[in-house]
């Protein structure tokens, strides 16, 4: 019987499970959308929701408590300054799970775990702008290298 089991152990040791979930939650806050299995997504969602709830009140204590779980300072700052203020009006339910289908190798349920205010168009615009900037930078470097070769 599986009565009163508090969480899904995911067939991993406690250290492995803790590290995996920390990485998944950090990635969720970094990219605001991750693809994983259904069981892992449900466990990561539990952790992420609690961290967002804590981050809604920006205090030294809350930052330190969340920093125990999220090691990356940039992501921690993003959570408190960008993600949590967007969720200020919500009373929970900060993430959503979208089903994708089954994985080829083992037929595991594959899902997308994302923040509810995730905007795909906005992300695509950022990627396009970053690519244009990168291409412009490459274009600047190429003529400089050719000139250096010609002068030799």
């Amino acid at each position: 019987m599986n009565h009163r089991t508090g969480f899904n152990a995911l067939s991993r040791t406690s250290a492995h499970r803790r590290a995996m979930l920390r990485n998944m939650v950090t990635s969720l806050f970094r990219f605001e959308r991750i693809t994983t299995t259904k069981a892992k997504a449900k466990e990561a969602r539990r952790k992420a929701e609690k961290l967002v709830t804590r981050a809604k009140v920006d205090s030294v204590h809350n930052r330190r408590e969340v920093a125990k779980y999220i090691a990356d300072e940039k992501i921690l700052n993003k959570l408190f300054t960008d993600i949590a203020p967007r969720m200020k009006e919500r009373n929970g339910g900060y993430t959503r799970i979208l089903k994708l289908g089954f994985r080829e190798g083992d037929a595991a349920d594959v899902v997308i775990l994302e923040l509810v205010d995730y905007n795909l168009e906005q992300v695509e615009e950022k990627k396009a702008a970053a690519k244009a900037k990168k291409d412009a930078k490459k274009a600047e470097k190429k003529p400089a290298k050719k000139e250096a070769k010609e002068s030799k």
Side-chain angles (χ1 to χ4, degrees):
M1 281 187 247
N2 200 16
H3 298 312
R4 306 272 301 171
T5 302
F7 58 92
N8 186 345
L10 300 171
S11 299
R12 286 163 170 79
T13 62
S14 60
H16 182 189
R17 183 175 56 252
R18 183 169 188 265
M20 181 188 65
L21 290 174
R22 284 178 68 173
N23 287 331
M24 287 178 66
V25 170
T26 302
S27 294
L28 175 65
F29 293 145
R30 176 178 287 132
F31 302 112
E32 299 187 11
R33 183 180 216 191
I34 58 173
T35 303
T36 184
T37 62
K38 186 177 177 182
K40 288 180 192 173
K42 284 184 172 185
E43 285 301 310
R45 176 173 62 176
R46 292 178 65 191
K47 302 289 186 185
E49 300 256 347
K50 289 180 182 180
L51 293 176
V52 172
T53 299
R54 202 173 261 285
K56 285 167 70 172
V57 178
D58 191 358
S59 66
V60 174
H61 177 67
N62 284 344
R63 277 190 181 259
R64 287 179 177 166
E65 288 295 314
V66 173
K68 287 180 184 177
Y69 204 79
I70 297 177
D72 191 343
E73 282 188 36
K74 288 182 181 179
I75 304 305
L76 183 70
N77 195 34
K78 180 181 178 181
L79 176 61
F80 276 89
T81 59
D82 181 32
I83 296 171
R86 294 188 326 219
M87 307 289 184
K88 207 69 164 176
E89 299 301 317
R90 290 185 156 273
N91 292 327
Y94 312 115
T95 59
R96 113 177 19 111
I97 294 178
L98 304 170
K99 295 178 183 177
L100 285 180
F102 301 103
R103 191 161 55 194
E104 186 72 27
D106 59 356
D109 285 334
V110 179
V111 299
I112 293 175
L113 175 64
E114 68 181 12
L115 298 176
V116 289
D117 61 351
Y118 180 79
N119 188 350
L120 189 59
E121 291 82 23
Q122 186 179 13
V123 172
E124 295 297 328
E125 288 173 10
K126 284 183 184 178
K127 284 182 181 178
K131 186 171 175 27
K133 186 177 177 183
K134 188 177 180 182
D135 290 342
K137 204 172 196 180
K138 276 187 179 179
E140 288 177 16
K141 285 186 177 181
K142 282 186 179 180
K145 286 183 179 179
K146 286 181 181 177
E147 290 172 10
K149 286 181 182 179
E150 290 173 4
S151 64
K152 288 182 181 179

